[in-house]
Amino acid sequence: MSFDLILFGGTGDLAWRKIMPALFQAFRHGSLPSGGRIIGVARDDLSDDQYRELIKARFDHVDLAKRPSEEEFSRFAALLGYLRMDLSNPTDYAALAAKLQQRPAEVVVMYVATAPGLFTTVCEQIAAAGLNGPQTRVVLEKPLGHDLASNRAINQTVRSVLTEQQIFRIDHYLGKPSVQNLFAMRFGNSLFEPLWRRETIANIQITIAEELGVEKRGAFYDSTGALRDMVQNHALQLLCAIGMEPPINAHADAIRDEKLKVLRSLKPWTPESLSQHAIRGQYAAGTIDGEAVPAYRDEKGVNPASRTETFVALRTEIANWRWAGVPFYIRTGKRLAGRDAHIEVNFRPAPHAIYQSPLANSSVANRLVINLQPKDGLELHLLAQGADQRHRAGTPTLAPVQLDLDFDKRFGSGRVGAYERLLLDVIGGRLNLFVRSDEQEEAWRWVEPILDAWSNDSAGPRPYAAGTWGPSAASAMIARDGYCWSEEC
């Protein structure tokens, strides 16, 4: 199948950090369809050869295992081309159309890896140049909008020139192998589904923690914040994967229909719940791996008086028959004590204790941990009686044990990465792992009261030292329910 992939923002950070390495891995694995062209588009004045040299130099900064040899890059570079464009200039889109007409392709992918403010301009100009035919697919990166109104405006414009089946709103978390195995665990096996409900589950925790600060994204991040950057998309998509009902089949709309139901079932915010169950923080100076790191307000590009949150902790519930009364906790932040993304499903303790346990809270031992990064796999924590047959007053004593399934060890290191999988799905026209417009709007609708409350809160985010797990208010929030974050139990 012949294809053209036009990468708007082809010299940008996302292009060389994520998209180009993913395309190369697909090429290396033999899964990238033959007869393809990859055309970088940007305002830089470069020739095809200069663009190839730029990408080659940038590959020196990706993970060693993902770097091409000289021979591999020589073959991959034959796919690469470049076109200088001013994305606000209609004449430049005519030049792009002429370039694509030189060799018509069966599939044309327009990957818009630009500033969000250019999304509507690019889509309108694509249509004006006649490049929105049925063979065209447009990929839109997050964030898609700054709030509900801007998200609706973008979607309305994009849908005016493209059908919903042509729009691929990307959330790379949905492409992670670990998230794919979350769906497989739930809907490909019968073991957990009977237990996946309020009668057996006490609480569910979603953690997406980063050691890094804002790096070179200070100006962007300062206008975005953790709630928009991580919760509205990644964290809520994980919550949907955990909370959704089994779809009737594996088709895109069947899956997205069930995710939408979860978003519509999230408990609405009230002034009381916003004050107690929506915690925001901002990192102060601290230590990471023994090295001093600056406070957020001292980062390059950040307003010295910034009130932008770098940490969020939320408590919510899914108000439906399956999950009524089960708290879902979400936390995410930068400059935390470790890089760790996982989902923790804590089961209720046995209703009648006939054994002794050294753990004060036996539900800590009855839990399923779905590791997303840097580990990728499942951990099942149980209580068992070991070789030591000590008894307390004639009652056997149990100890915690763990079953650990490491997917990288089981399936090998050559597994398909998130962007590689998603790019191949775009070329193949598979929408299963992409977000529909009504999902996005419902997610924005749920987070908007938090944004409004914080914009009117003169107190601002709570400070926390870099290298810790965030402000103490996040621990107090979960402790009010009698629970604790995994590192605190």
Side-chain angles (χ1 to χ4, degrees):
M1 176 182 65
S2 62
F3 73 91
D4 286 333
L5 192 153
I6 296 86
L7 181 53
F8 294 92
T11 59
D13 183 66
L14 182 66
W16 72 262
R17 280 194 310 108
K18 298 291 186 181
I19 301 171
M20 281 296 181
L23 289 167
F24 170 70
Q25 290 303 312
F27 174 80
R28 171 185 271 177
H29 296 153
S31 50
L32 193 67
S34 58
R37 290 190 302 179
I38 302 167
I39 302 171
V41 166
R43 299 188 68 167
D44 305 80
D45 193 7
L46 301 172
S47 66
D48 287 349
D49 286 340
Q50 287 173 322
Y51 184 63
R52 291 165 186 148
E53 286 301 315
L54 174 67
I55 297 302
K56 182 180 180 181
R58 296 289 174 84
F59 271 141
D60 291 338
H61 300 284
V62 304
D63 292 343
L64 184 61
K66 296 182 179 180
R67 295 180 196 173
S69 66
E70 288 286 339
E71 186 273 335
E72 283 178 322
F73 186 80
S74 177
R75 290 189 291 113
F76 179 67
L79 280 61
L80 302 181
Y82 182 79
L83 183 65
R84 184 188 181 281
M85 285 183 65
D86 177 349
L87 298 184
S88 62
N89 187 347
T91 304
D92 288 353
Y93 289 87
L96 174 61
K99 188 177 183 71
L100 297 181
Q101 287 166 5
Q102 292 172 3
R103 193 222 64 170
E106 296 172 74
V107 172
V108 178
V109 175
M110 306 280 190
Y111 199 122
V112 190
T114 68
L118 288 171
F119 287 174
T120 55
T121 299
V122 171
C123 291
E124 287 171 340
Q125 292 297 331
I126 286 171
L131 292 174
N132 60 333
Q135 81 280 13
T136 297
R137 293 157 192 167
V138 174
V139 182
L140 299 176
E141 270 284 348
K142 75 168 186 75
L144 209 66
H146 198 70
D147 53 19
L148 178 59
S150 58
N151 175 259
R152 280 176 168 167
I154 291 172
N155 278 324
Q156 184 176 357
T157 299
V158 174
R159 283 198 302 264
S160 71
V161 297
L162 298 162
T163 67
E164 184 67 30
Q165 287 68 39
Q166 292 176 281
I167 306 168
F168 290 73
R169 300 173 188 84
I170 196 167
D171 185 328
H172 74 271
Y173 260 65
L174 292 178
K176 286 180 176 291
S178 49
V179 178
Q180 298 308 298
N181 274 307
L182 169 57
F183 285 109
M185 179 197 73
R186 285 203 59 196
F187 307 131
N189 301 280
S190 61
L191 178 62
F192 289 109
E193 191 57 31
L195 306 177
W196 217 252
R197 55 200 332 105
R198 59 187 172 84
E199 289 86 357
T200 50
I201 291 177
N203 69 85
I204 293 177
Q205 302 176 19
I206 299 172
T207 295
I208 308 174
E210 299 178 275
E211 284 183 309
L212 294 175
V214 293
E215 304 304 298
K216 299 177 181 178
R217 301 168 69 229
F220 163 78
Y221 195 90
D222 206 38
S223 64
T224 305
L227 188 68
R228 291 183 176 95
D229 191 44
M230 298 297 291
V231 175
Q232 185 273 335
N233 37 70
H234 301 329
L236 286 185
Q237 286 294 320
L238 293 177
L239 186 148
C240 287
I242 284 288
M244 64 188 279
E245 294 296 320
I248 58 172
N249 54 44
H251 294 161
D253 279 335
I255 294 170
R256 299 193 292 187
D257 286 346
E258 297 303 334
K259 289 196 293 175
L260 180 62
K261 290 177 186 177
V262 172
L263 293 169
R264 288 177 172 168
S265 299
L266 290 175
K267 265 195 170 181
W269 293 101
T270 65
E272 182 182 9
S273 63
L274 283 167
S275 66
Q276 294 191 15
H277 300 153
I279 309 299
R280 60 172 169 161
Q282 185 187 91
Y283 65 81
T287 303
I288 300 285
D289 293 332
E291 293 187 10
V293 295
Y296 172 73
R297 293 182 179 183
D298 295 327
E299 299 276 18
K300 184 178 179 180
V302 173
N303 182 343
S306 174
R307 289 159 45 87
T308 299
E309 77 283 355
T310 62
F311 175 93
V312 174
L314 304 174
R315 180 199 187 277
T316 188
E317 295 180 23
I318 300 174
N320 64 13
W321 194 277
R322 180 188 289 263
W323 294 112
V326 176
F328 285 71
Y329 304 102
I330 296 170
R331 64 173 173 171
T332 183
K334 290 188 174 295
R335 289 293 190 212
L336 296 181
R339 177 175 177 260
D340 181 22
H342 68 267
I343 301 166
E344 189 171 295
V345 181
N346 291 296
F347 292 93
R348 298 188 185 279
H352 176 62
I354 62 172
Y355 296 101
Q356 293 285 339
S357 170
L359 298 176
N361 183 358
S362 61
S363 65
V364 172
N366 289 260
R367 59 193 171 108
L368 173 69
V369 180
I370 303 154
N371 289 310
L372 306 174
Q373 66 181 29
K375 289 179 64 177
D376 176 9
L378 302 175
E379 298 173 12
L380 184 59
H381 296 256
L382 304 167
L383 291 172
Q385 185 171 318
D388 187 350
Q389 297 295 319
R390 289 177 297 173
H391 288 60
R392 296 180 184 176
T395 302
T397 299
L398 303 183
V401 295
Q402 175 180 325
L403 301 174
D404 192 349
L405 174 57
D406 187 317
F407 288 135
D408 282 334
K409 291 179 180 178
R410 173 61 182 84
F411 298 114
S413 59
R415 302 172 69 202
V416 176
Y419 270 96
E420 181 182 351
R421 177 186 297 276
L422 293 171
L423 285 164
L424 291 173
D425 280 355
V426 175
I427 295 170
R430 296 180 290 272
L431 283 158
N432 300 49
L433 303 181
F434 296 85
V435 182
R436 205 167 56 193
S437 62
D438 51 3
E439 285 182 77
Q440 274 194 336
E441 291 187 14
E442 201 62 47
W444 275 117
R445 184 178 289 109
W446 186 74
V447 303
E448 195 158 71
I450 310 174
L451 293 169
D452 292 341
W454 288 351
S455 68
N456 296 314
D457 178 15
S458 59
R462 304 165 190 261
Y464 63 95
T468 66
W469 283 105
S472 59
S475 299
M477 176 190 75
I478 193 171
R480 281 194 290 268
D481 292 334
Y483 304 124
C484 53
W485 300 108
S486 55
E487 74 279 358
E488 297 173 337
C489 293

